[in-house]
Amino acid sequence: MVASTSNTIHPFGEEDSSKRRQILDGARKVFMDLGFDGASMNEIARAAGVSKGTLYVYFADKSRLFEAIVEDEALERGKIAYNLDPKRDVETTLREFGQTYIGSICRPGGGSSIRTVMAIAERMPEVGRRFYENVLAQTINRLADYLQARLGPDDLAIDDCGLAAAQFLQMCQATLFLPFVFQAEPAPSAERIAHVVDSATRLFLQTYRAKPA
């Protein structure tokens, strides 16, 4: 069960921040290799190259440590540069957005946090909810805001921009994300991503381009 105390990331001194990063990197590898249930604080301390006592100075338990990794993933995703200038051409913007998005979620090693969150979300729903809200929903919302800004008789005709944004992202994932996240296939090539995103963009615009009066 997840404790109810705040999970806000607080600033650390340079040495503390470096040690915390060292612990998170070690823990991420252990969670990726063993899963949440298989990982132990002893194993995480060993992988991070710190004593178990040092580990507990930074994180009260395994759940807190995993939540910190989820937060770290959210911060990293938030740094992804999407060019969503409302003045940019819609077709170009969607293609670039889709390729960047798929490249980020299907990068080598990039599916481990999603797999682990999916595995523990039923027992730790708060972690699953935060991961969805801070990582996945944020991307949908950023695209929805762009689409909203492009509504007009000579541009896009969309009743629900949030739904349309989610639909576009789902189309971009088609044949790419599920095989990758379930490890049925390796990370897709840039050429394959471009092919799928191009198809998604064309289908999206066929549906949502404003029709001549």
Side-chain angles (χ1 to χ4, degrees):
M1 178 141 182
V2 181
S4 60
T5 54
S6 171
N7 288 287
T8 302
I9 298 176
H10 300 290
F12 290 85
E14 185 174 337
E15 183 177 349
D16 277 349
S17 180
S18 176
K19 184 67 69 176
R20 186 176 187 276
R21 169 57 51 193
Q22 181 181 335
I23 292 170
L24 289 177
D25 288 344
R28 186 178 283 107
K29 183 179 187 309
V30 173
F31 283 128
M32 182 173 65
D33 292 343
L34 303 178
F36 182 82
D37 291 329
S40 69
M41 292 296 268
N42 282 332
E43 189 65 35
I44 291 169
R46 198 158 37 242
V50 301
S51 69
K52 195 172 178 181
T54 298
L55 187 58
Y56 279 111
V57 167
Y58 288 84
F59 301 99
D61 54 34
K62 186 170 66 171
S63 295
R64 284 291 184 214
L65 183 47
F66 184 72
E67 289 182 80
I69 291 173
V70 171
E71 290 177 338
D72 193 57
E73 178 81 4
L75 290 174
E76 289 303 310
R77 292 283 187 90
K79 294 176 184 176
I80 296 174
Y82 295 116
N83 189 341
L84 293 172
D85 183 344
K87 297 177 182 177
R88 290 187 85 219
D89 170 69
V90 173
E91 186 171 348
T92 300
T93 299
L94 288 176
R95 280 201 176 91
E96 289 184 4
F97 183 96
Q99 290 179 28
T100 301
Y101 169 71
I102 295 299
S104 72
I105 66 171
C106 291
R107 70 189 186 279
S112 58
S113 59
I114 295 176
R115 294 185 196 103
T116 307
V117 170
M118 289 170 65
I120 68 171
E122 187 171 350
R123 289 185 290 111
M124 300 171 64
E126 188 65 18
V127 173
R129 182 186 64 79
R130 276 202 302 276
F131 185 82
Y132 177 78
E133 291 179 351
N134 297 330
V135 178
L136 306 180
Q138 287 288 345
T139 305
I140 295 172
N141 293 339
R142 289 164 76 177
L143 180 57
D145 289 342
Y146 169 80
L147 298 176
Q148 184 70 43
R150 297 294 311 212
L151 299 182
D154 299 318
D155 207 339
L156 298 178
I158 303 174
D159 293 329
D160 186 336
C161 289
L163 174 60
Q167 288 171 333
F168 179 71
L169 295 185
Q170 288 295 316
M171 287 193 293
C172 288
Q173 292 179 28
T175 74
L176 300 177
F177 178 67
L178 288 180
F180 168 74
V181 81
F182 287 110
Q183 298 184 302
E185 294 181 9
S189 67
E191 292 76 18
R192 178 63 183 164
I193 291 173
H195 173 71
V196 173
V197 171
D198 181 67
S199 176
T201 301
R202 285 186 282 106
L203 287 171
F204 184 89
L205 292 177
Q206 285 173 17
T207 301
Y208 289 119
R209 279 251 193 233
K211 305 299 188 291

